Amino acid sequence: MASLFLTGCSKPEKQKVTLSEDSSTWMRDSLGCLQERNFDMAERLLLENTLENSSTEKFKTIFGKPNEINQDRNHTSFTYYVQSICSHHSIQKDSDKCFIVFTFKNNKLIDHNNACE
């Protein structure tokens, strides 16, 4: 009887996620300095992993740690740099920057925007 109780209360194991080559490349090029991250790769990762309306946890499993996180009362946004101009593995100060901002509301991905400035 004790063994039934113990097995009945065990927590379900999290599913292991197998990262694609694009996902591994994305995370390896963490600032976009290697010129491997780009807008098209981000779109592929979103579609291949059905990330629309996904949680921030699932999203970060595929995209890795954001370069910037911004939060306000209702939204969280993750910014990832792409195709950056770098020197010694750092983005050059005052250089143009390209990035993608992913917006979450209530822990669900609701939007993303690409920009260069």
Side-chain angles (χ1 to χ4, degrees):
M1 179 124 168
S3 64
L4 286 174
F5 177 75
L6 292 174
T7 57
C9 292
S10 63
K11 292 182 180 179
E13 291 184 33
K14 290 185 177 182
Q15 291 182 354
K16 188 173 181 176
V17 176
T18 304
L19 297 178
S20 68
E21 186 176 329
D22 277 348
S23 182
S24 296
T25 298
W26 181 273
M27 286 192 262
R28 183 178 60 246
D29 190 11
S30 65
L31 289 173
C33 293
L34 301 174
Q35 302 298 308
E36 293 177 338
R37 272 187 181 184
N38 58 55
F39 297 128
D40 291 337
M41 181 183 287
E43 293 297 328
R44 278 195 313 273
L45 287 170
L46 287 171
L47 293 172
E48 290 171 359
N49 295 285
T50 57
L51 294 175
E52 192 68 34
N53 292 314
S54 70
S55 68
T56 55
E57 292 80 19
K58 179 180 179 183
F59 183 86
K60 286 194 290 187
T61 300
I62 304 301
F63 276 83
K65 181 181 174 186
N67 298 113
E68 294 179 24
I69 300 174
N70 293 299
Q71 292 183 299
D72 66 21
R73 199 165 158 204
N74 297 313
H75 297 89
T76 300
S77 64
F78 293 166
T79 301
Y80 293 85
Y81 299 123
V82 297
Q83 299 175 319
S84 302
I85 299 170
C86 299
S87 176
H88 304 291
H89 306 290
S90 296
I91 297 175
Q92 284 186 342
K93 189 178 179 182
D94 300 326
S95 67
D96 289 345
K97 293 176 186 68
C98 292
F99 51 90
I100 305 171
V101 178
F102 297 94
T103 305
F104 297 82
K105 182 175 182 178
N106 299 325
N107 197 37
K108 300 291 181 192
L109 179 63
I110 60 167
D111 195 16
H112 68 284
N113 295 294
N114 303 338
C116 292
E117 56 181 35

